[in-house]
Amino acid sequence: MRIAVCPGSFDPVTNGHLDIINRASKLFDKVIVLVSFNPEKQSACFSVKERLEMINAVVSGYDNVVVDCHGGLLADYLERTNACAIVKGLRAVSDFEYEFQMALANKQLCPTAETVFLTTTPENMYLSSSMVKQIGSLGGDISKFVPEQIRAAIIKRLDPAKK
Ligand code: PNS
């Protein structure tokens, strides 16, 4: 079975992430959406539990996609789950240097896994979780950026005035 891991902070999951997960689900037998967190950092807006719940809500229709979390090295998780690939979305040239560095480091740490980059669709080129948080917290409309099922929960957290 060819298992791919889609790692990220997913704070929160966006339409851009969902597009990459959807496309990865067609390329691999099983896709694990992995909420990676640093146990020593508490800087996220949403808790790991909340992020897992939101992702679960938007991938429930896929029979080959599961959701998990991990607080350590991605390479250790890849080995433990026998995953053959890390799938990441590439938006712009600005993503490339950081992603390239991570891909090389992960290849050193886990030589059996390849990093596969999927280019984002043009409508998601500019989209990021940080942008969603900024627009939402300033009362802007995030409806085009996040899946419908979790929109209300995100707005409630980001813009308390709209509770
Ligand atoms: O959504 P993000 O913040 O761009 O995701 C980055 C993430 C979580 C994929 C990356 O930081 C990661 O893999 N962290 C796990 C710890 C690790 O393995 N670090 C070394 C990677 S080179």
Side-chain angles (χ1 to χ4, degrees):
M1 184 189 268
R2 305 193 77 73
I3 301 171
V5 173
C6 284
S9 308
F10 301 107
D11 186 42
V13 66
T14 67
N15 286 340
H17 294 128
L18 197 52
D19 171 57
I20 299 297
I21 295 164
N22 173 48
R23 287 155 62 194
S25 75
K26 293 174 184 154
L27 297 172
F28 294 92
D29 300 315
K30 179 179 170 183
V31 173
I32 305 172
V33 183
L34 188 68
V35 176
S36 294
F37 61 93
N38 182 341
E40 278 150 34
K41 272 196 195 164
Q42 298 290 330
S43 56
C45 176
F46 295 90
S47 69
V48 173
K49 183 169 173 279
E50 288 169 326
R51 286 180 266 165
L52 289 169
E53 283 168 0
M54 285 192 278
I55 303 168
N56 268 312
V58 298
V59 301
S60 59
Y62 295 86
D63 55 14
N64 66 337
V65 178
V66 297
V67 187
D68 198 3
C69 62
H70 182 63
L73 270 182
L74 178 59
D76 291 339
Y77 187 87
L78 297 168
E79 272 173 18
R80 181 153 57 80
T81 53
N82 211 17
C84 66
I86 304 161
V87 177
K88 306 281 314 257
L90 261 194
R91 286 167 301 193
V93 180
S94 51
D95 281 347
F96 184 76
E97 201 170 337
Y98 174 61
E99 293 295 345
F100 191 63
Q101 204 178 2
M102 279 203 289
L104 291 175
N106 282 322
K107 188 68 181 165
Q108 287 291 320
L109 296 168
C110 180
T112 51
E114 300 292 341
T115 298
V116 177
F117 292 115
L118 300 180
T119 49
T120 64
T121 54
E123 61 272 26
N124 292 323
M125 282 276 293
Y126 56 88
L127 183 53
S128 68
S129 298
S130 308
M131 200 193 72
V132 166
K133 283 183 279 196
Q134 188 172 104
I135 295 172
S137 63
L138 295 171
D141 180 8
I142 59 164
S143 58
K144 289 197 179 79
F145 311 137
V146 296
E148 209 249 316
Q149 303 96 303
I150 60 170
R151 192 182 303 154
I154 295 174
I155 292 171
K156 193 171 158 187
R157 167 64 55 81
L158 296 179
D159 185 7
K162 290 195 179 162
K163 257 185 191 171

